[in-house]
Amino acid sequence: MPKHDGQIVIKKYANRRLYNTGTSTYVTLDDLAVMVKKGEDFVVQDAKSGDDITHSVLTQIIFEQESKTGNTLLPISFLRQLISYYGDQMQMVVPSYLEHSMQAFAEQQSQMREQINKAFGDTPLGKNLQVPLQLVEEQVRRNTEMFHQAMQMFSPFMAAPPAVKETRKADAKDLDELKEQLRALQTKLDTLS
């Protein structure tokens, strides 16, 4: 069984077939997705060149999962934001930030499950109860805010979120009104002197 630093080696051939050298069987992208979910560590290599193509294969799995199920984990706004970082000075920071965010999310999800088990124990409700959507949405909102704040620390001129833009517009409008009032007062003062 050939392994690569404790990892299962998957060979990808020119005909797009994937061969698991650990089990000596051909596998599909769905099989690799199951391996990921089980926590099995593998590396995908181009059979001819030996190049590591794990990243592109995992990306392909995500693409297929999103198109098959219709359940999108990556919202369009996130994808656009991610694409905007390619070639940007932030490109080097984003991967580690996303990795840490996903680790924190997994830890928080585990903690929520523990709390639910403590609260409801071995009851049917406890077994069937999933993490309330509101808690997950709140965590996503907090992570998104932290992401924006972190990105603004590195790039203070980064585009602000819509709520901040609206506040800035209102502030600019108030400032324009104050300027106009000052001009009117100056005109009155000029006519009095």
Side-chain angles (χ1 to χ4, degrees):
M1 279 196 279
K3 295 216 178 201
H4 182 265
D5 294 330
Q7 298 173 324
I8 298 168
V9 176
I10 307 293
K11 298 275 187 180
K12 184 172 184 179
Y13 291 93
N15 63 2
R16 298 184 185 178
R17 293 199 64 187
L18 298 162
Y19 184 76
N20 182 334
T21 60
T23 60
S24 300
T25 58
Y26 284 100
V27 293
T28 64
L29 290 176
D30 287 336
D31 295 327
L32 294 182
V34 169
M35 289 172 68
V36 168
K37 290 176 184 178
K38 287 181 178 178
E40 295 180 24
D41 196 14
F42 62 86
V43 62
V44 182
Q45 295 176 345
D46 182 276
K48 186 174 183 178
S49 68
D51 291 341
D52 184 343
I53 56 171
T54 308
H55 186 271
S56 64
V57 170
L58 292 175
T59 305
Q60 187 177 359
I61 291 170
I62 291 169
F63 176 75
E64 288 206 0
Q65 291 292 315
E66 295 243 330
S67 62
K68 257 187 213 174
T69 63
N71 298 330
T72 57
L73 292 179
L74 304 172
I76 290 173
S77 60
F78 173 80
L79 292 172
R80 289 179 191 207
Q81 194 170 24
L82 192 59
I83 290 168
S84 73
Y85 289 121
Y86 282 96
D88 186 82
Q89 62 192 15
M90 297 307 299
Q91 184 174 345
M92 292 172 40
V93 177
V94 172
S96 62
Y97 175 80
L98 291 176
E99 187 174 356
H100 290 296
S101 293
M102 288 303 292
Q103 286 172 348
F105 181 75
E107 288 170 10
Q108 291 165 354
Q109 185 180 18
S110 176
Q111 289 171 356
M112 283 190 262
R113 283 187 180 139
E114 281 180 32
Q115 290 173 353
I116 288 173
N117 285 338
K118 284 180 186 176
F120 296 102
D122 226 7
T123 65
L125 180 61
K127 289 180 182 176
N128 295 324
L129 192 61
Q130 295 183 0
V131 177
L133 186 58
Q134 291 174 330
L135 291 175
V136 174
E137 287 175 351
E138 177 64 20
Q139 188 58 48
V140 169
R141 186 188 62 73
R142 280 190 297 217
N143 285 350
T144 303
E145 285 174 4
M146 287 185 343
F147 180 71
H148 278 292
Q149 290 169 356
M151 292 301 113
Q152 285 178 340
M153 284 186 342
F154 292 107
S155 178
F157 303 108
M158 186 178 117
V164 173
K165 287 180 183 178
E166 290 301 318
T167 303
R168 288 181 185 165
K169 284 180 187 177
D171 290 346
K173 184 179 176 186
D174 290 343
L175 185 60
D176 289 341
E177 288 174 6
L178 284 173
K179 285 179 184 178
E180 186 58 39
Q181 289 174 359
L182 282 173
R183 281 189 206 107
L185 282 174
Q186 185 64 45
T187 305
K188 285 182 182 181
L189 285 174
D190 288 344
T191 57
L192 290 176
S193 33

